[in-house]
Amino acid sequence: MSDQALEKGQARCPGEPSTQEIIARDRVKAPQWVTSESYQFMGDEDVSVDRYIDADYAQKEYDRLWSRTWQFACREEHIPEVGDYYVYDIGKHSFIVTRTAEDQVKAYYNACMHRGTKLRPSGTEGSATVFRCPFHGWTWNVDGTMKEVLCDWDFPHVNKSEFSLPEARVELLAGFVFINMDKDAPSLAEYFGPEAMSHIEQWGLEDRYIVAHVSKIIPANWKLTMEAFMEAYHVLETHPQVSVSNADANSQYDTYGDHVNRFISSLGVVSPHHRGRYSEQDVLDQFTVGDASVLEGADRTLKEGETARQRMADMMREMFSKAADTDLSKVSDAELLDCFSYTVFPNTFLFPGISLPMVYRFRPVADDHRKCYYEVFFMHPVPANGERPEPACEEHLTEHQSFCEAPSMNDGFGAILDQDTENLLLQQQGLEASAKPGITLGNYQEIRIRHFEQTVDKYVNS
Amino acid sequence: MTKEFQRFCAVDAVPANGKKAGRVNGTPVLVVNTKGKLFAVSAVCSHQEKFLTAGRVRNCRITCPLHGAQFNLETGEAMCLPATKPIATYEVRVVDDWIEVAV
Ligand code: FES
Ligand SMILES: [Fe+2]
């Protein structure tokens, strides 16, 4: 076997074009952030299951991981005006993220300095001229300085200048508000590293807005749930309806420093699993996109020598330009078509593509390491007239509802998310029932999971 | 007592994304123009009797500016703590360039 001559992690789907070879044939060429590769072999040992099934491990994550990492708290568009605020919770922690000046956002620990009452309810947003505690009325200015204590004659020991609301750190990037509880954490730029930062800065996500926001409780550990989205290896078994036109076994996987990884999964080409069984015309016929309605009525007959992928890219360029009222003439075929999935440690996915324009966020449910709160944001470009629509409000689904039940969810995409999450309870329970103390990972296709868990280990063990 | 529509203010006084508070028979009423529609609700929060007038309106909800309770403008339903009770909602209509409210 010639494969045995390869170093560990160097094997790729045999006899198939790489993602880069697929993209290199496109008419409108892809930018450097798409055409680069950054895979590294990171070992092939099993990954211990305690991280998924042990409540003590979850507590260590609160103490050492959530308390020291940069987290996407809200979008800037949630808080456009001074005094607008958004409450971000992680476990028992809660923060009031508020705009204190046109170019300044702060995050206050959401607890009264008197007897502790939350100043704003969790899961809400709004606008404030002051933050006033509902219990006895202690009041803070929007900038966090203390304004008022009722009967201050009774509190001679309260020095107002020492009673400003404590703050977490805040950094703004690409329209996202990131917060970090750790005063000693690296800056956001150091945390992502130069390569990943340059990718994020090229996407222009600051010029998108939240057109839909769907959330659901998933009955599995937050990391297990995230990992269901980190590889295309599951597509053949889990998503048979889309597997024909997805370069699944030849998707590309990359890691950047400790905190960012990605895959590129090309669409509009026949899957290696289906090679020889489908023509280019078949691929085109069964191709669907996140929002299939944009393709209704399109001519789907290929000319001699024309590829399904090129036709799809051309069609989507036209349809999405119209639908979003934006100029996409210079956007590459790959960015229009392909699935670009980035994990930003610890709990966010960014999808900078055009046809699959999502952001995912995952958070453990406080007090239950076997449940997580999964949010899907769909991000559309701000219309050409520059008027930013209000961000969509959250549509919350319970554990047993289908994603298709959310009013703003496209049925085809909702069905994919259902498939992605329906197996998770079985996986959670299976790990708890298993005789095997670790999970086993593929060297290439599952590198994002290994990379992610190694970073989890770095935080939890230090 | 049957509810009768009464003049509240001129239509121009509540433009798109605007709101206006006033009293009708002594009852504080807030008229809100959002999403192309007029809504009339109690101007007082059901939580601790603060005025909702300066509250932010988004997605057909108003947020109490002081303690953050939220209410559905259409039904008056309390959407989050610290409020647990709804606020009153009133019928509203436009007649001859006047906004009228039935309280
Ligand atoms: S607990 Fe906040 S004022 Fe007393
Ligand atoms: Fe999937």
Side-chain angles (χ1 to χ4, degrees), chain A residues 189-456:
Chain A
E190 288 170 74
Y191 182 86
F192 288 152
E195 173 91 31
M197 268 305 266
S198 87
H199 293 198
I200 295 169
E201 283 167 349
Q202 287 175 65
W203 299 334
L205 294 182
E206 60 276 17
D207 297 324
R208 295 201 193 174
Y209 73 98
I210 299 170
V211 67
H213 179 187
V214 177
S215 65
K216 188 177 171 182
I217 300 291
I218 306 292
N221 183 267
W222 66 281
K223 302 184 296 304
L224 212 55
T225 307
M226 284 180 71
E227 287 161 12
F229 298 92
M230 286 190 195
E231 36 79 4
Y233 183 48
H234 70 279
V235 171
L236 181 68
E237 188 68 24
T238 302
H239 308 300
Q241 78 279 23
V242 297
S243 75
V244 172
S245 65
N246 180 356
D248 46 9
N250 44 354
S251 294
Q252 176 180 318
Y253 299 83
D254 299 297
T255 60
Y256 304 94
D258 282 345
H259 298 114
V260 180
N261 62 46
R262 76 165 180 186
F263 74 47
I264 307 176
S265 200
S266 289
L267 300 176
V269 286
V270 72
S271 159
H273 298 298
H274 297 291
R275 178 69 66 201
R277 287 193 277 143
Y278 292 90
S279 67
E280 285 290 308
Q281 185 64 56
D282 295 332
V283 170
L284 185 62
D285 289 345
Q286 77 84 58
F287 190 97
T288 61
V289 287
D291 184 0
S293 64
V294 299
L295 296 175
E296 264 162 31
D299 170 23
R300 286 200 175 210
T301 313
L302 285 176
K303 296 193 200 65
E304 184 68 25
E306 198 185 6
T307 63
R309 178 172 169 85
Q310 194 60 56
R311 172 67 72 89
M312 287 310 306
D314 295 346
M315 275 163 53
M316 278 164 56
R317 185 181 317 281
E318 193 187 326
M319 312 279 174
F320 278 109
S321 301
K322 269 194 215 139
D325 186 19
T326 33
D327 176 21
L328 299 173
S329 57
K330 297 196 177 59
V331 176
S332 67
D333 295 342
E335 288 167 275
L336 275 162
L337 268 182
D338 296 337
C339 181
F340 296 90
S341 159
Y342 282 71
T343 305
V344 169
F345 194 87
N347 65 337
T348 300
F349 280 64
L350 304 178
F351 296 79
I354 303 289
S355 65
L356 293 165
M358 295 83 67
V359 172
Y360 295 165
R361 177 165 66 181
F362 301 82
R363 285 177 283 173
V365 167
D367 293 328
D368 192 347
H369 67 281
R370 301 170 90 241
K371 278 191 168 48
C372 75
Y373 177 50
Y374 169 35
E375 292 169 278
V376 184
F377 304 84
F378 290 91
M379 309 288 296
H380 277 191
V382 172
N385 68 15
E387 267 179 50
R388 187 177 273 279
E390 281 181 4
C393 80
E394 182 175 341
E395 295 164 8
H396 186 62
L397 301 168
T398 59
E399 204 176 305
H400 299 289
Q401 281 185 289
S402 160
F403 278 99
C404 300
E405 290 178 54
S408 61
M409 181 67 73
N410 159 268
D411 278 351
F413 196 71
I416 289 178
L417 294 183
D418 283 342
Q419 291 168 329
D420 281 320
T421 51
E422 279 163 353
N423 293 329
L424 279 161
L425 180 60
L426 298 178
Q427 193 186 7
Q428 179 74 35
Q429 291 175 339
L431 289 174
E432 290 163 355
S434 181
K436 186 164 167 282
I439 60 169
T440 301
L441 297 173
N443 284 338
Y444 185 63
Q445 296 180 86
E446 291 174 321
I447 189 65
R448 290 177 73 188
I449 297 171
R450 184 176 299 283
H451 175 258
F452 174 72
E453 289 298 351
Q454 286 189 3
T455 302
V456 169

Side-chain angles (χ1 to χ4, degrees), chain A residues 85 100 115 119 144 148 162-163 180 222 224 251 301 332 441:
Chain A
Y85 66 87
T100 52
R115 280 162 59 192
L119 295 174
E148 206 179 315
E162 288 164 10
F163 271 66
N180 195 324
W222 66 281
L224 212 55
S251 294
T301 313
S332 67
L441 297 173

